Amino acid sequence: MIIHLKDNIYRKYNELTKFLKSDDDGVFYTGHASILVRLNKKKYLFDYINNTNFYRNSWIFFPSQIFDKRLFDVDGIFVSHIHQDHYDPCLLRKFQNKKIPIYILDGRESFKRVLKKENINVKFLPIKKKFYINHNTWIYGCLHEYNDIDSSMVISNDNLSIYHGNDNFITKKSLNPLKKAVGNIDIACIPFAYINYYPYLMNGISKNKSRSEAKRIENLFMNYGIEQSKILKPKVIIPFGSNLFHIDNPESAMNKGVATPVDFVNYAKKNNKSLSKNYKTMLSGSFCLKVDGKIKIFYENISKKKFNNELSNYTKKRKKLSVKNVLAKKIDINDSKLKLIQKKIIKNPNKINHNIVLSSKSEQNKKIIINLKNDSVSYKIMKQIPINSHYFIVEDNEFNLWLNNNITFEEVLGTRRFRYNRNPNIYRVEINQIYTNFL
């Protein structure tokens, strides 16, 4: 395993040297949700980021991401979606200055607005259509079925076909047409882990209930990974997009509850016998080459015990070295702040009978109440929360940054620096979409 306590220092990796010495079509796993693809001697980099302090220094990669300047010598950049562990605008501008094309699937207006704001010029690719980016390399991509954020893509030269699934949990509704359109898949980067805040950050449920819910959901999402694999039938399956661990508390239930790549491989081998030999514990630094029609795999077969021991040691050491965020100035909740929130929420077209309630951790009686039915935003001093509410208790620093419009609420969610309640305690995806996309 590749492990560095200082993960933002450029190094020359032997594993990448071996991959680059070959001219064969292949895939090099740079870490987390990023791969380097080589087709017909041209190289394409997917979802690579240089910023390891994303979401306000709240997460770390394990194992470490490959940080090698040779990754900047490529012929194209692909970005699946806007989350900060996949999208690095500063790095994209550097590629742009080098005249390296940046490719993104079309169909997401919110993504386009952000790219325009960041002055990043991209080539938008059509969805659900085989599209040639040059005379012998084509892509086929599809968006998530409802969240307006995620996307997946196949890239191929008809000799080697790779599926980049990042953390896009699409179903057979999208995958069956994709498989029919693209045919053979050699290598698939399959998402499998639910790195979310439910149930870990939810108030009002017992520890036993939280643990059972965590287990249920992790198995559910690993089963999603297996279902994607069954449809795509790849020769090599890389467990993908779950190399993130929260740094604030290395021993947190969230860190312990989320399935690791090794967990997924072991689970899939047991529950998907027909493809059991195709699941590999490929981590950063692993790679595949297609030589004379056969795929050669270069990786370490890692045990669960070894992975978990290394992870525990690493997160504890990184916690001691973690960067302290500069404290944000406390912001008063006044009319101008409430009007700014209203200006954002009024863009939500789904007017439903529900409230989003927010407060800082230190002043929980001081609540901002957002009525999704009539777009009203009010400030009240109260202990209770209204019926039909999602209530977020946000760490002071992140609350002040959000209130001052320095970060979006999606970024607050990304930091995981909050607790929340639901009244009633029911999951509703349409409410999740509203506070993620419009606050």
Side-chain angles (χ1 to χ4, degrees):
M1 280 188 285
I2 292 174
I3 303 171
H4 301 299
L5 285 176
K6 294 184 178 180
D7 59 1
N8 58 350
I9 298 174
Y10 291 113
R11 298 171 172 88
K12 195 169 185 177
Y13 291 86
N14 291 332
E15 295 85 355
L16 184 57
T17 299
K18 292 175 184 177
F19 178 78
L20 294 176
K21 279 184 177 179
S22 169
D23 284 334
D24 294 301
D25 294 337
V27 175
F28 183 89
Y29 190 10
T30 58
H32 185 46
S34 176
I35 53 174
L36 176 68
V37 173
R38 181 175 56 227
L39 299 172
N40 302 109
K41 300 182 182 181
K42 291 186 178 293
K43 300 188 290 292
Y44 306 98
L45 191 58
F46 284 73
D47 280 16
Y48 188 76
I49 68 169
N50 241 0
N51 175 25
T52 55
N53 296 326
F54 52 91
Y55 288 120
R56 298 191 48 74
N57 302 304
S58 56
W59 299 92
I60 56 172
F61 288 130
F62 182 85
S64 302
Q65 181 178 266
I66 300 295
F67 228 64
D68 191 313
K69 289 184 178 180
R70 290 175 293 176
L71 292 173
F72 302 148
D73 179 21
V74 293
D75 299 282
I77 304 295
F78 289 85
V79 183
S80 66
H81 64 288
I82 200 170
H83 288 162
Q84 292 177 20
D85 52 323
H86 302 256
Y87 164 74
D88 184 343
C90 293
L91 179 61
L92 291 179
R93 280 191 288 270
K94 291 180 181 179
F95 283 119
Q96 184 172 273
N97 291 338
K98 294 174 69 176
K99 309 298 182 184
I100 296 171
I102 301 167
Y103 300 102
I104 292 175
L105 284 177
D106 205 349
R108 292 164 290 179
E109 294 305 314
S110 59
F111 202 171
K112 288 183 178 180
R113 287 194 295 269
V114 173
L115 291 166
K116 184 178 180 180
K117 183 179 178 181
E118 295 281 0
N119 294 314
I120 297 171
N121 299 316
V122 306
K123 295 187 176 183
F124 289 103
L125 304 172
I127 59 172
K128 299 180 181 179
K129 178 182 179 181
K130 188 180 283 190
F131 181 84
Y132 280 82
I133 61 171
N134 58 46
H135 70 281
N136 56 22
T137 303
W138 54 265
I139 63 93
Y140 183 102
C142 58
L143 305 180
H144 192 277
E145 288 142 15
Y146 64 79
N147 73 10
D148 195 36
I149 296 174
D150 296 310
S151 71
S152 300
M153 183 182 294
V154 172
I155 185 168
S156 175
N157 64 350
D158 292 322
N159 175 57
L160 182 69
S161 297
I162 304 105
Y163 175 75
H164 181 259
N166 55 87
D167 48 17
N168 187 22
F169 288 96
I170 51 176
T171 67
K172 61 183 180 181
K173 179 182 177 181
S174 297
L175 275 179
N176 281 333
L178 179 147
K179 175 65 174 175
K180 185 177 180 180
V182 306
N184 174 66
I185 300 286
D186 293 293
I187 300 164
C189 304
I190 297 290
F192 65 90
Y194 179 81
I195 310 179
N196 208 300
Y197 39 86
Y198 176 83
Y200 309 106
L201 304 182
M202 188 173 179
N203 295 326
I205 59 173
S206 68
K207 289 184 178 180
N208 286 339
K209 176 67 173 177
S210 181
R211 280 194 291 266
S212 66
E213 275 292 273
K215 185 70 174 177
R216 177 186 69 82
I217 291 171
E218 288 307 322
N219 287 346
L220 176 68
F221 276 77
M222 286 194 287
N223 287 332
Y224 287 157
I226 288 173
E227 287 305 307
Q228 290 194 8
S229 302
K230 286 180 177 179
I231 293 170
L232 296 175
K233 295 182 174 61
K235 298 179 181 67
V236 177
I237 300 165
I238 302 175
F240 211 59
S242 180
N243 298 83
L244 285 179
F245 297 90
H246 207 259
I247 192 61
D248 290 358
N249 179 9
E251 298 298 319
S252 68
M254 184 166 56
N255 278 351
K256 290 183 176 181
V258 173
T260 69
V262 178
D263 290 333
F264 176 59
V265 169
N266 292 341
Y267 183 87
K269 284 179 179 290
K270 181 179 178 181
N271 292 280
N272 185 14
K273 302 287 187 183
S274 62
L275 294 174
S276 62
K277 294 181 180 180
N278 300 23
Y279 293 93
K280 307 295 181 183
T281 55
M282 295 182 68
L283 303 170
S284 56
S286 303
F287 62 94
C288 301
L289 299 173
K290 192 164 188 181
V291 183
D292 298 327
K294 295 182 178 180
I295 297 177
K296 293 186 176 182
I297 311 171
F298 303 82
Y299 78 109
E300 180 184 357
N301 190 12
I302 297 169
S303 69
K304 179 175 180 177
K305 181 178 180 181
K306 179 178 178 180
F307 186 94
N308 289 347
N309 286 342
E310 294 284 2
L311 171 61
S312 179
N313 292 334
Y314 181 75
T315 51
K316 288 174 184 176
K317 291 176 182 176
R318 278 296 302 271
K319 172 62 176 174
K320 294 178 181 178
L321 297 173
S322 60
V323 177
K324 304 297 181 183
N325 286 316
V326 177
L327 294 178
K329 182 181 177 181
K330 184 178 177 180
I331 306 298
D332 291 329
I333 303 173
N334 54 36
D335 286 344
S336 66
K337 300 301 179 188
L338 299 179
K339 287 179 181 178
L340 183 62
I341 297 169
Q342 187 179 43
K343 187 178 179 181
K344 290 189 282 188
I345 201 63
I346 205 169
K347 295 177 182 178
N348 164 45
N350 192 6
K351 311 300 182 186
I352 57 179
N353 183 27
H354 202 78
N355 300 283
I356 305 298
V357 182
L358 301 105
S359 75
S360 66
K361 183 178 179 181
S362 66
E363 296 183 315
Q364 294 181 34
N365 286 348
K366 297 180 178 181
K367 293 180 171 65
I368 296 172
I369 301 175
I370 305 167
N371 187 311
L372 301 181
K373 183 73 173 178
N374 59 24
D375 298 324
S376 66
V377 181
S378 58
Y379 167 57
K380 295 183 179 180
I381 297 177
M382 57 190 297
K383 287 186 177 182
Q384 302 301 317
I385 60 173
I387 297 173
N388 296 326
S389 294
H390 275 53
Y391 172 36
F392 292 90
I393 306 162
V394 183
E395 295 284 343
D396 288 21
N397 212 37
E398 280 65 33
F399 181 81
N400 289 324
L401 287 166
W402 171 75
L403 189 60
N404 205 34
N405 209 32
N406 296 124
I407 61 175
T408 65
F409 197 69
E410 187 276 329
E411 289 177 278
V412 174
L413 298 172
T415 68
R416 301 297 191 266
R417 290 176 178 145
F418 64 90
R419 302 282 303 180
Y420 77 112
N421 301 66
R422 299 189 301 212
N423 182 16
N425 185 13
I426 300 171
Y427 174 68
R428 293 176 62 183
V429 66
E430 70 274 21
I431 296 169
N432 180 297
Q433 288 176 302
I434 293 169
Y435 63 68
T436 300
N437 296 326
F438 294 98
L439 291 179

